Amino acid sequence: MSVLTHLQGFLKIQWGKMGPPLVPSEGECRITKGFIKKGRPRILILGSTPQFRDLAHSLGAQVTCIDMNLDMLTSMVELMKYSRKASQEAWIRANWLQAPLKENYWDYVMGDWVISNIPLKIQPLFFKKISLLLRPGGFFVTRHSLYSGNIITFLGAIDNFLNKKFDISHVVMPAAHLSFNPKTYLSETTECRRMAQNIINDLIKNASDKKLKIKYKEILKLIHYYLPSGMTWTYTPTEVLEKMWRPYFRLTKIAITQDHLLPAACPIYFLKKH
Amino acid sequence: MIKTTSGYHWLTVARRWSEIPAPMGPWPSEMKIYQKLAKKYLKGIKKPKILILGATPQMRDIAHAFRNAEVTCVDIDVNMLFAMSSLLKNPQNADSEIWVKSSWITVPLKENYYNLILGEAVLGNVPFMLWTKFLQHLQDVLRHNGYFVSRVVVTDLGNWHGKNLDEVFSYASEKKLNFIELYFLLFYRIFGSQKRKMSNLDMYKTIKKYYNKKKQRYVLENRYVEGLLNKIAKYLPASPFQWSNSPQAFSEKYLKRYFKIIAKEFGGGESQFSSAYHPIYLLKRK
């Protein structure tokens, strides 16, 4: 039994409660797994996503995880089905772009919502870096987060939550896109939290039912819990990304699943290195 | 209190480690050699890339003395990286390090990248059968003009072995050795000077057997030696982990396959017994 620090414990609890689309769904993992060839592939995981680590271990892969935050790598172990295999993983605490990793070596590089963590200007460099790491013919498999405002509004998501069609993860995603700027593709979480608060405060003000007011307050509390402040995410559209990856990769497949309610906002790209 | 995934307090680990004296880590005279060699061969490099094998704070401090250095530490136990960081001269330097939890033999680092590799007594941690793979891998990640600086613990200590354990204890008492020096002497007395795998467990078994057989009461009659043995038992428990130490010539034979020995220096002054016998090699990639 492992012992975690307070921070690691918090991360574990917070991430443990998250569901799709905030984390990869079972269907998304199944599609990704089906794509990867067996036979101890070398898989580099960008970040600590427990679902992807489990997926890689279930294939008997040699797994390396790279994350800026070692607490994330450590705390996510407890959310893994194959937690015993974590001791066999190589872990690297470093920036994805600057890590001195072996080149032309990895069969697969995988990452969940990784592109949105990279500033728009640096995204072409990011694709270049990933292509350097992959062996010729290797694949970069990544689930991406697109702007969801075209699919569902924040208010629509709240309605669906109240009608028990959505869980909170489906509300947090549109909330994280509230400050989305279609020119820069940026969304700032501090601003998103403020906007969500204003919208919900208005809803509370106009609600006549006491129970409904309590529900709205609950939603706001959960949004604040899951949506950290001070972060900037870049929701680059597919057509813009295509221009960036074209020098290094060929898109072989885009996959979406139907086991969560915002699949169109979370495509999985399968990019083959030239 | 900060805890880690292994379920132990890493601050406790750090404190215990800091209480273990040289020659488990380098003597001050040996540190000066490391510093001198690193300074000499990184001169003129604006952003030196330094790879540290293990989490040894002294080696990391040497690396951080170079401004703009990119420091990568590789250790199989992530808790050691956490723990040893608190023993750095400036613990905040740990934040800028790249940490890798991996075996030294399979660590997937960029080839032809590092200007310098520092490894304090690392060879003995690698099983003999993996020495070739290990050294080959270090050669791969070093730049073509890069250097590897490492102290190698060797087993040929001349007359210091003593004829039997009693002589070893007498010597330790007479020269007022520290408990790690006695630990080293016991190892060499028990396992001999040849290439051997040595474990604490086997060492304890041999000591017990020897005294049961001879019904010797020497240890109990000598408070100083008894104190040393108690400390060995406290800090170095009976583990089956096997050290791979060998005579100097054997280690050099392997090192020479992948590196050119540019310099071989010995510490001195602090301990007649240990610092004069374990060479620090400056190795250039072949």
Side-chain angles (χ1 to χ4, degrees):
Chain A
M1 184 67 186
S2 61
V3 181
L4 302 176
T5 62
H6 291 304
L7 172 64
Q8 290 165 349
F10 170 73
L11 288 169
K12 183 199 129 188
I13 294 166
Q14 190 196 36
W15 276 72
K17 286 179 184 170
M18 281 186 195
L22 299 181
V23 296
S25 69
E26 276 183 26
E28 285 164 338
C29 287
R30 209 178 307 120
I31 289 177
T32 310
K33 191 178 169 180
F35 189 82
I36 296 172
K37 285 178 185 163
K38 285 181 186 168
R40 275 188 75 67
R42 289 169 180 152
I43 298 181
L44 175 66
I45 294 172
L46 306 176
S48 309
T49 316
Q51 291 85 351
F52 278 3
R53 289 158 80 179
D54 276 332
L55 187 160
H57 288 302
S58 70
L59 292 162
Q62 300 172 56
V63 183
T64 301
C65 303
I66 175 167
D67 202 305
M68 283 283 282
N69 187 347
L70 213 53
D71 287 317
M72 278 300 288
L73 282 164
T74 308
S75 53
M76 293 302 109
V77 171
E78 297 214 356
L79 300 178
M80 288 167 61
K81 284 177 195 158
Y82 289 80
S83 55
R84 284 187 180 179
K85 296 257 183 182
S87 62
Q88 293 168 20
E89 294 174 343
W91 291 355
I92 297 163
R93 186 193 73 171
N95 179 320
W96 295 333
L97 287 150
Q98 288 158 357
L101 289 165
K102 200 167 181 172
E103 295 177 352
N104 282 317
Y105 178 75
W106 312 90
D107 298 305
Y108 299 90
V109 175
M110 292 169 65
D112 187 45
W113 287 11
V114 287
I115 299 168
S116 44
N117 280 286
I118 313 278
L120 187 67
K121 272 189 182 176
I122 304 173
Q123 284 178 358
L125 269 180
F126 172 70
F127 285 114
K128 187 181 177 185
K129 172 80 180 179
I130 302 299
S131 76
L132 286 172
L133 300 177
L134 283 166
R135 66 164 177 76
F139 282 91
F140 176 34
V141 181
T142 182
R143 197 173 73 112
H144 183 50
S145 172
L146 293 171
Y147 173 57
S148 64
N150 306 326
I151 304 160
I152 188 139
T153 61
F154 180 53
L155 284 171
I158 291 175
D159 273 346
N160 278 322
F161 180 78
L162 294 174
N163 295 331
K164 295 184 178 173
K165 284 182 188 167
F166 276 18
D167 60 13
I168 192 65
S169 298
H170 287 82
V171 183
V172 173
M173 191 173 176
H177 296 173
L178 278 173
S179 77
F180 177 76
N181 180 334
K183 283 182 185 165
T184 60
Y185 314 127
L186 295 181
S187 187
E188 289 173 357
T189 55
T190 310
E191 183 61 11
C192 291
R193 283 162 63 110
R194 196 189 60 78
M195 288 170 82
Q197 186 156 357
N198 287 344
I199 292 168
I200 291 176
N201 281 346
D202 280 347
L203 290 172
I204 293 169
K205 213 190 280 177
N206 297 328
S208 50
D209 184 0
K210 260 190 181 180
K211 278 184 183 173
L212 192 61
K213 281 184 181 187
I214 292 168
K215 275 273 179 202
Y216 285 139
K217 278 179 189 170
E218 250 175 49
I219 293 171
L220 185 62
K221 206 175 157 188
L222 288 166
I223 287 170
H224 282 179
Y225 180 74
Y226 286 114
L227 195 62
S229 57
M231 294 185 77
T232 303
W233 283 320
T234 318
Y235 301 110
T236 318
T238 308
E239 60 275 17
V240 178
L241 287 176
E242 265 183 324
K243 284 180 193 162
M244 292 181 195
W245 72 49
R246 206 171 288 151
Y248 316 105
F249 295 100
R250 181 171 58 85
L251 179 69
T252 55
K253 187 178 166 183
I254 296 184
I256 54 167
T257 54
Q258 298 301 333
D259 61 347
H260 63 79
L261 301 164
L262 291 170
C266 310
I268 308 169
Y269 303 131
F270 297 85
L271 302 168
K272 188 175 186 182
K273 182 181 170 176
H274 290 319
Chain B
M1 183 64 95
I2 300 163
K3 297 167 183 177
T4 71
T5 45
S6 292
Y8 56 77
H9 303 271
W10 55 258
L11 288 178
T12 311
V13 176
R15 200 188 62 240
R16 279 179 77 97
W17 201 88
S18 68
E19 287 166 1
I20 299 177
M24 196 56 101
W27 293 99
S29 62
E30 291 169 332
M31 276 299 291
K32 279 182 188 164
I33 295 171
Y34 273 114
Q35 280 159 346
K36 182 186 78 183
L37 294 175
K39 211 172 172 181
K40 192 173 172 184
Y41 290 96
L42 289 180
K43 203 178 173 184
I45 301 173
K46 281 183 184 169
K47 285 184 179 175
K49 292 166 176 83
I50 305 171
L51 176 64
I52 311 284
L53 300 174
T56 321
Q58 293 95 327
M59 297 294 109
R60 291 158 73 185
D61 280 336
I62 290 175
H64 288 298
F66 296 94
R67 259 198 356 198
N68 301 325
E70 181 189 303
V71 182
T72 307
C73 302
V74 183
D75 201 301
I76 200 147
D77 184 356
V78 77
N79 296 306
M80 284 305 282
L81 287 163
F82 272 118
M84 295 300 108
S85 297
S86 62
L87 300 177
L88 293 179
K89 276 182 191 163
N90 179 4
Q92 286 185 338
N93 280 337
D95 297 340
S96 67
E97 292 173 342
I98 293 169
W99 284 1
V100 184
K101 185 208 87 164
S102 169
S103 147
W104 295 332
I105 293 133
T106 54
V107 59
L109 291 172
K110 193 171 179 175
E111 292 178 356
N112 188 21
Y113 185 75
Y114 289 96
N115 300 101
L116 179 72
I117 299 178
L118 293 171
E120 162 56 16
V122 289
L123 206 54
N125 284 285
V126 179
F128 288 120
M129 60 185 290
L130 295 173
W131 275 19
T132 305
K133 224 177 168 184
F134 170 59
L135 295 169
Q136 167 90 64
H137 197 55
L138 294 188
Q139 191 196 40
D140 289 344
V141 297
L142 256 187
R143 275 175 181 254
H144 291 300
N145 55 356
Y147 293 91
F148 173 33
V149 182
S150 182
R151 183 172 69 118
V152 176
V153 173
V154 296
T155 54
D156 37 0
L157 301 182
N159 299 324
W160 297 115
H161 295 289
K163 283 178 189 164
N164 52 43
L165 291 185
D166 289 347
E167 276 193 19
V168 170
F169 291 132
S170 297
Y171 181 80
S173 176
E174 189 189 319
K175 299 283 181 186
K176 297 286 175 229
L177 297 184
N178 70 36
F179 75 94
I180 295 295
E181 288 176 302
L182 174 61
Y183 171 74
F184 271 46
L185 268 187
L186 285 170
F187 253 116
Y188 302 134
R189 174 68 208 105
I190 290 165
F191 296 102
S193 61
Q194 295 311 302
K195 171 200 157 193
R196 288 291 293 272
K197 289 176 185 170
M198 313 162 164
S199 77
N200 288 3
L201 189 65
D202 291 339
M203 185 186 81
Y204 286 123
K205 275 182 189 168
T206 311
I207 295 173
K208 201 175 169 186
K209 201 172 162 187
Y210 181 81
Y211 283 104
N212 281 347
K213 200 172 171 185
K214 295 202 99 188
K215 298 200 166 55
Q216 288 277 0
R217 306 285 298 164
Y218 183 85
V219 173
L220 296 174
E221 286 161 11
N222 187 319
R223 284 269 173 90
Y224 185 76
V225 172
E226 190 188 4
L228 293 183
L229 285 175
N230 285 341
K231 277 191 174 175
I232 291 175
K234 179 182 170 189
Y235 289 96
L236 303 152
S239 123
F241 173 78
Q242 291 179 321
W243 302 97
S244 306
N245 292 328
S246 73
Q248 204 177 119
F250 184 84
S251 307
E252 278 184 17
K253 193 176 88 182
Y254 272 84
L255 293 172
K256 280 177 183 170
R257 283 187 195 170
Y258 304 96
F259 302 96
K260 192 178 169 193
I261 299 177
I262 304 291
K264 180 163 76 173
E265 299 199 20
F266 294 89
E270 300 95 339
S271 163
Q272 196 188 359
F273 151 65
S274 47
S275 55
Y277 284 96
H278 304 300
I280 298 175
Y281 290 97
L282 171 70
L283 304 157
K284 189 174 183 183
R285 182 186 160 162
K286 264 189 176 174

